[in-house]
Structure formats: C-alpha cells, structure tokens
Amino acid sequence: MSPDQRQHDEQRTAWEAVLTTLEQAAVADDPASWQEPTGLGPVPRDLVGRASRLLAAQRDRLQTLEALRRDTLGHLGALRRVDATREPQRSVYLDASA
C-alpha cells in the first residue's frame, strides 16, 4: 500500500468516525458539546452524500427547535400577562388578639 493510499484510508476512517458520532448524537438528541476535529482535511468524495444528509438533518432539527423556542416564549409571555393582571393577595386572617 502506498503512503498516499494509507493516508487516504486513515483520513476516510477518521471522517467516518466523526460522521458516526454526529449521527448518533442527532438520533439520541444528545446535547453534549462537540469540538471540531482538526487535521481531517477535506471530506472524501464518497462520504460527501452522507455528510450532506447529516447537515440536512441538523438543519431540520434546528428549525424544529426554533419553532419550539418560539412556542415556549409565547407561553411564557401569556403567563406573564396573566400574572400582571392579578391583584396582590390580601391577608385572610385577622389577628384579633394583638
């Protein structure tokens, strides 16, 4: 095996590991932090389709999360408006012995 072929195989293996990790995190809704790997080089041509599908899935998930965030903000706003209309509670007990 030539050194170029060995380097290509190592690069492909590293990219496969990164893509697998990202795919598993996306399926598991794993919010664990991720750090961009270094030294991988460009995505091998035969993995571009897989990486593109992963990117599309991440974008879809981001849109879903953004919609959920907007809904949550709307609910919180409604709760704040309700709380703002309430009168402060008065004491229900009278201390007659004092």
Side-chain angles (χ1 to χ4, degrees):
M1 181 182 297
S2 72
D4 286 342
Q5 183 61 41
R6 183 175 296 117
Q7 182 181 9
H8 177 268
D9 290 349
E10 289 172 359
Q11 182 182 17
R12 187 179 193 293
T13 300
W15 268 108
E16 284 179 327
V18 167
L19 292 173
T20 298
T21 299
L22 289 171
E23 288 164 344
Q24 290 172 345
V27 169
D29 282 336
D30 182 6
S33 64
W34 181 76
Q35 293 182 0
E36 180 181 354
T38 58
L40 288 179
V43 177
R45 189 178 308 225
D46 60 325
L47 295 178
V48 168
R50 182 178 172 189
S52 295
R53 287 186 299 277
L54 176 60
L55 179 60
Q58 288 175 329
R59 286 181 177 156
D60 289 346
R61 181 65 177 152
L62 185 60
Q63 287 178 344
T64 300
L65 290 172
E66 180 59 29
L68 290 170
R69 185 187 74 82
R70 283 192 306 269
D71 287 348
T72 301
L73 288 174
H75 293 303
L76 288 172
L79 288 173
R80 287 184 185 115
R81 285 189 297 276
V82 168
D83 283 342
T85 62
R86 290 187 183 167
E87 290 185 27
Q89 294 291 325
R90 293 186 201 114
S91 176
V92 291
Y93 299 101
L94 176 62
D95 186 2
S97 64

